[in-house]
Amino acid sequence: MTTTNPQAPAGEAVPDSPYTVPLAPGVHAYIQPDGGWCLNNAGFVTGAGRTLLIDTAATERRALALREAVLASGAPLPTTVVNTHHHGDHTYGNCVFTPEATVIGHADCRRETIAAGLQLHLAWPTVDYGAVEVTPPTLTFTDALTLHVGDIEVRLLHPGVAHTVGDTIAWLPEQGIVFTGDLVFNGGTPFIMMGSLSGSLRALETLRALGAHTVVPGHGRVTDPGAYDAVESYLRFVEDLARTSHAAGLTPLEAARRADLGEFAALPESERLVANLHRAYVELDGLPLGTPLDLVTVLGDMMVMNGGRPVACHA
């Protein structure tokens, strides 16, 4: 399936294989349909004979396809890789680009990448990941870091605890383009199990303040700032549901099973609601943002919400 408009509105045909989207001279997004579990986006910035890659992929095969897409655009292989957070779909492929490329990320992204290890192998042991090795950032920052790829300025910004504890926004101010990582899911259910509900809402305000006109989400099609409103609406729904359910003494699973998803019922990965409620409950209990959850319990609850079946990794 092909299309001449990868940013087409919902309902129009889009590719069913990974594809690149030219966004500005020297700037591309790399989109992996349909953006479900482990089908993340990446991007690359090229100038003065150098390439900066933003995120990689969940398997060796997919990371090699990303490598070929970079070369097919006429860009040289990356000398820098930026990870927007530590999840394996965004970091497993780092090893395909090192040691030639330096991996950059937030200090907590490095820490969590090391601590998580081969996290996707534990969650989905039957997937063929290939010869991947845990490859954390070797250059880290805490608040902000500015990179220059030729004439293109790339600002790396940490919005605080949000999707995870170590998120990074990649902002290209002159081009008006932002790579959000998983702070934004376009057409999928947001996922804050390892981060913060309140922090995710604050991160959306950080994104809005940048004034970008082109938004590359962590999953889903390239979009515009209207995606922030869609994510916020869902998070406000979770916030309200958590508050009333917590007060009523319901468990996150009980609350999720009773919930009327309404306008959000059509979003894929709806089982994430219970994980998001677990996160919201922790915050209502007054625990620090990003406090680790009992993953066995949360993943088990998501399986219940998925009809008793483990959620499927699409990598």
Side-chain angles (χ1 to χ4, degrees), residues 65-285:
L66 170 59
R67 183 182 185 275
E68 290 307 308
V70 171
L71 292 175
S73 76
L77 287 174
T79 53
T80 307
V81 174
V82 171
N83 287 149
T84 61
H85 60 290
H86 74 277
H87 288 162
D89 51 336
H90 297 256
T91 61
Y92 262 24
N94 288 356
C95 60
V96 166
F97 299 94
T98 58
E100 293 78 14
T102 298
V103 182
I104 300 175
H106 187 267
D108 287 337
C109 174
R110 172 180 167 81
R111 174 174 57 82
E112 292 297 317
T113 301
I114 295 170
L118 294 173
Q119 54 187 311
L120 299 185
H121 285 66
L122 299 176
W124 292 288
T126 62
V127 171
D128 180 8
Y129 296 102
V132 298
E133 298 179 3
V134 177
T135 309
T138 55
L139 177 60
T140 63
F141 70 100
T142 53
D143 297 314
L145 177 67
T146 299
L147 307 175
H148 296 271
V149 185
D151 294 331
I152 301 176
E153 179 181 347
V154 181
R155 298 180 188 173
L156 306 182
L157 309 171
H158 175 54
V161 180
H163 175 64
T164 68
V165 297
D167 293 314
T168 290
I169 296 166
W171 164 229
L172 283 58
E174 292 300 316
Q175 290 75 20
I177 299 167
V178 65
F179 293 82
T180 70
D182 286 1
L183 300 176
V184 175
F185 287 78
N186 182 24
T189 301
F191 190 53
I192 56 171
M193 182 179 75
M194 295 185 182
S196 165
L197 174 56
S198 58
S200 292
L201 289 166
R202 283 193 294 272
L204 291 174
E205 291 307 309
T206 298
L207 288 168
R208 286 188 176 104
L210 296 177
H213 56 71
T214 300
V215 176
V216 183
H219 296 256
R221 304 179 199 172
V222 175
T223 184
D224 58 42
Y228 305 153
D229 297 337
V231 174
E232 180 175 1
S233 293
Y234 176 83
L235 293 178
R236 294 295 183 190
F237 163 76
V238 173
E239 182 179 50
D240 291 343
L241 178 61
R243 186 182 300 112
T244 56
S245 301
H246 186 272
L250 299 177
T251 67
L253 180 57
E254 289 169 337
R257 296 185 79 172
R258 297 184 187 188
D260 178 1
L261 285 170
E263 65 181 294
F264 309 111
L267 291 177
E269 300 93 38
S270 61
E271 69 277 358
R272 292 176 180 169
L273 173 62
V274 70
N276 296 335
L277 286 171
H278 273 282
R279 174 54 58 195
Y281 271 40
V282 165
E283 294 185 27
L284 288 169
D285 289 336

